[in-house]
Amino acid sequence: MKWIVLIQLSSTSLISKGSQNRYKFPPLGLLYISSILRMHGYAVHIIDLLSFGKDFSYLVKRMIELKRKYGNDPLFIGFSVFTENANDAIIASYVLKKVFQNSIIVFGGAHAKAAYEELLQSGVVDIVSLVEGEGHVIEIVNYVEGLIPLEEIRGIAYLRNGHVETTDRFFLESLDILPFPDFLNIKYHNYRQVGIIVTSRGCPGKCIFCASRQFSGSKYRAYSEKRVFAEMMFLHFYFKIISFGIMDDTFTVLKERTKKFCYLLKKYANDKIVYAIKSRVDLLNEETLSYLKETNCSAIHIGVESADNEVLKIMKKGITIEKSLDIIEKIASYGIMPECSFIVGNPGDKPETIYKTLMIVYLLNKYFTLYPSAVAGICTPYPGTELALESKELGLKILIKDWRRYDTSQPIFETNDFSLNFIREVMWSFNREPEMLVERALKKYPNLKEFYEIVERKIKNSAESFFKARKGNLKEWNPLNI
């Protein structure tokens, strides 16, 4: 029997470790690839170390068990590589190559696409996928089986005579032709019972801290509303899932699709499920919010990022803090929880602007009680982002090179306006005693008092309208039963 192993490694990051219990979700990327492979008759085993906190010894033990079962080496061993586990993926590949000498190693994922030259030069990686894996995974298998030469595989990088070679990249145009993720190839009941789905690829945004455009393209490509609804209903009826998280960076880009999706949900399943989405400040309006409200959308995540408009310009967000506060108020007025993310330590940030941003985070969590409405992370120059590619032009002094520390919880660079130690101290204080940090900031920067009072009134009004629209006891409310 011909078999393949797809691996999601664990992480040493405190952020990832902390999320293992709360966000134990299936590895969707690997599940999509598994579906394609199993359609073509291959046995596929998914080893998810991240979600279950398993270590490298478990991986080796499991791989040896599989080799005994099949009596041969897998055709290839695929790794989903993100920045903070890239070094671990190299180490794992080195060991597995010693044990499975007839298998090739394939790396995919955002970090692999950005840092493919470095990964290939390690000498333990045979192929790096530069595109969506579903589009060429069968070509990779055909190469392994001797049916086509390596250079005929589209969208990959590989070494030839010590030099890195690449083939033409491409993006899948019609996503509806893809099968559902291979949910039946994992023990779904061992994961959080929240249906996590992705309904689009590509992003129209230009944010300098995000690599989505580079890896998935600037063209927004989406599943049809019928396909999205069908996948949700499959998870609902097969696994009894009633809570869903739509994980697209921006679900509401195509307003007509959003409208049609909500129509299907309301007509056939409105009393059965609840769901949350992600969107952008500039892609939400009253009409869209009314559709979402009618179909049990419980929360909308938006990236506010900064409280300072000049910093937002440098980040290329295309929004202002005033617009963000207005849309937060509108979301809340429909009884939908506005979940907001922020980034501190950006190019253009100064201590004063960082404190302004943390004030908004504090106020959102103060008035939208019992459920964390806002989170703040530290600006991180992930490979492939404009932040990393144009770091010198943006005035960044990148001091940390260890990929394991690229997890948004630790400062990686400093500028002429703030140091690593300043960011560490501020975030440590904010995470422990946010109210005390805000009080200290207002004493240090009395000019921020008026800003703070205006924002507090705005957020307080938003929270009150949210509670009024919910018409219930917030203590009993949890948008995704997490």
Side-chain angles (χ1 to χ4, degrees), residues 45-58:
H45 294 271
I46 295 173
I47 302 178
D48 183 0
L49 304 182
L50 177 64
S51 297
F52 301 102
K54 300 293 186 180
D55 59 17
F56 183 64
S57 63
Y58 173 85

Side-chain angles (χ1 to χ4, degrees), residues 39 54 89 104 112 141 144 150 154 233 248 256 269 280 334 370 377 385 401 413 418 420 437 448 482:
M39 283 175 59
K54 300 293 186 180
I104 70 166
V141 172
V144 176
L150 186 59
R154 301 168 299 159
M233 290 301 97
D248 309 36
E256 192 62 23
R280 283 177 56 96
Y334 282 89
L370 300 181
T385 62
K401 306 291 186 179
F413 65 86
F418 60 80
L420 258 67
L437 181 127
L448 292 181
I482 295 175

Side-chain angles (χ1 to χ4, degrees), residues 18-36:
S19 68
Q20 282 168 358
N21 291 326
R22 186 171 181 181
Y23 302 111
K24 189 184 290 185
F25 299 140
L28 283 184
L30 299 183
L31 294 181
Y32 272 110
I33 294 171
S34 177
S35 286
I36 299 290

Side-chain angles (χ1 to χ4, degrees), residues 432-473:
R432 286 176 61 87
E433 296 288 348
E435 186 174 1
M436 288 181 61
L437 181 127
V438 169
E439 291 175 356
R440 190 166 73 241
L442 288 172
K443 288 180 181 178
K444 187 172 184 178
Y445 299 98
N447 57 304
L448 292 181
K449 185 176 180 180
E450 182 181 2
F451 167 83
Y452 180 83
E453 290 174 347
I454 292 172
V455 172
E456 183 173 28
R457 284 196 297 272
K458 188 91 170 175
I459 292 176
K460 185 177 181 180
N461 290 338
S462 299
E464 288 175 351
S465 65
F466 169 76
F467 299 153
K468 183 178 180 181
R470 292 300 305 182
K471 296 179 181 178
N473 186 348

Side-chain angles (χ1 to χ4, degrees), residues 399-400 411-414 418-425:
L399 303 179
I400 306 298
I412 302 300
F413 65 86
E414 60 187 24
F418 60 80
S419 66
L420 258 67
N421 282 337
F422 173 77
I423 299 295
R424 284 194 193 101
E425 291 169 3

Side-chain angles (χ1 to χ4, degrees), residues 268-325:
Y268 297 108
N270 200 39
D271 61 337
K272 297 181 177 71
I273 66 171
V274 61
Y275 67 103
I277 67 167
K278 297 182 181 181
S279 189
R280 283 177 56 96
V281 169
D282 51 355
L283 289 172
L284 289 168
N285 56 30
E286 297 274 5
E287 182 183 18
T288 300
L289 289 171
S290 67
Y291 297 144
L292 296 170
K293 166 63 176 176
E294 290 175 2
T295 52
N296 289 341
C297 178
S298 60
I300 299 176
H301 174 275
I302 55 173
V304 180
E305 317 308 2
S306 175
D308 187 83
N309 287 333
E310 290 304 312
V311 173
L312 289 169
K313 285 181 183 178
I314 295 172
M315 299 172 80
K316 297 185 180 179
K317 277 295 295 183
I319 60 174
T320 64
I321 186 58
E322 291 79 14
K323 287 181 179 178
S324 292
L325 292 172

Side-chain angles (χ1 to χ4, degrees), residues 143-419:
Y143 159 70
V144 176
E145 297 198 86
L147 301 178
I148 62 173
L150 186 59
E151 58 270 18
E152 286 190 12
I153 305 173
R154 301 168 299 159
I156 65 165
Y158 59 94
L159 275 182
R160 171 161 288 169
N161 299 323
H163 299 286
V164 176
E165 303 281 349
T166 62
T167 60
D168 291 339
R169 300 189 186 207
F170 67 98
F171 294 112
L172 299 170
E173 289 296 328
S174 178
L175 298 184
D176 274 9
I177 67 174
L178 295 175
F180 289 169
D182 197 3
F183 298 116
L184 300 180
N185 196 22
I186 57 174
K187 295 180 179 178
Y188 200 90
H189 63 276
N190 287 339
Y191 289 89
R192 277 282 184 183
Q193 294 306 286
V194 176
I196 298 301
I197 63 173
V198 174
T199 78
S200 65
R201 301 180 188 184
C203 181
K206 299 178 181 179
C207 308
I208 67 173
F209 54 85
C210 178
S212 181
R213 281 172 65 91
Q214 179 175 348
F215 303 139
S216 299
S218 58
K219 181 181 179 181
Y220 183 81
R221 297 163 292 133
Y223 295 106
S224 68
E225 66 280 354
K226 292 180 180 178
R227 156 65 192 251
V228 177
F229 178 74
E231 187 171 329
M232 291 179 76
M233 290 301 97
F234 169 76
L235 290 170
H236 172 67
F237 287 110
Y238 200 96
F239 296 108
K240 311 303 180 187
I241 301 298
I242 59 172
S243 300
F244 289 84
I246 299 177
M247 303 305 289
D248 309 36
D249 289 333
T250 315
F251 178 68
T252 59
V253 172
L254 304 177
K255 288 184 169 53
E256 192 62 23
R257 183 185 79 132
T258 305
K259 179 180 178 180
K260 290 178 179 178
F261 166 75
C262 289
Y263 169 80
L264 290 171
L265 213 54
K266 185 176 182 180
K267 184 173 182 180
Y268 297 108
N270 200 39
D271 61 337
K272 297 181 177 71
I273 66 171
V274 61
Y275 67 103
I277 67 167
K278 297 182 181 181
S279 189
R280 283 177 56 96
V281 169
D282 51 355
L283 289 172
L284 289 168
N285 56 30
E286 297 274 5
E287 182 183 18
T288 300
L289 289 171
S290 67
Y291 297 144
L292 296 170
K293 166 63 176 176
E294 290 175 2
T295 52
N296 289 341
C297 178
S298 60
I300 299 176
H301 174 275
I302 55 173
V304 180
E305 317 308 2
S306 175
D308 187 83
N309 287 333
E310 290 304 312
V311 173
L312 289 169
K313 285 181 183 178
I314 295 172
M315 299 172 80
K316 297 185 180 179
K317 277 295 295 183
I319 60 174
T320 64
I321 186 58
E322 291 79 14
K323 287 181 179 178
S324 292
L325 292 172
D326 284 345
I327 202 65
I328 287 170
E329 190 170 29
K330 287 180 180 178
I331 293 170
S333 70
Y334 282 89
I336 301 172
M337 170 64 82
E339 296 181 344
C340 307
S341 58
F342 296 80
I343 304 173
V344 299
N346 303 287
D349 255 333
K350 299 176 174 61
E352 185 175 342
T353 62
I354 290 171
Y355 284 127
K356 282 176 67 177
T357 297
L358 293 177
M359 285 177 184
I360 296 183
V361 178
Y362 164 70
L363 289 170
L364 283 167
N365 288 329
K366 176 181 178 180
Y367 287 104
F368 287 91
T369 55
L370 300 181
Y371 188 83
S373 176
V375 294
I378 299 173
C379 188
T380 304
Y382 286 105
T385 62
E386 185 177 337
L387 197 63
L389 297 173
E390 306 292 335
S391 59
K392 291 183 179 179
E393 292 80 355
L394 291 167
L396 312 188
K397 303 169 189 174
I398 297 179
L399 303 179
I400 306 298
K401 306 291 186 179
D402 184 357
W403 295 131
R404 292 182 179 90
R405 297 174 66 177
Y406 280 56
D407 63 0
T408 74
S409 72
Q410 306 173 66
I412 302 300
F413 65 86
E414 60 187 24
T415 69
N416 290 334
D417 295 307
F418 60 80
S419 66

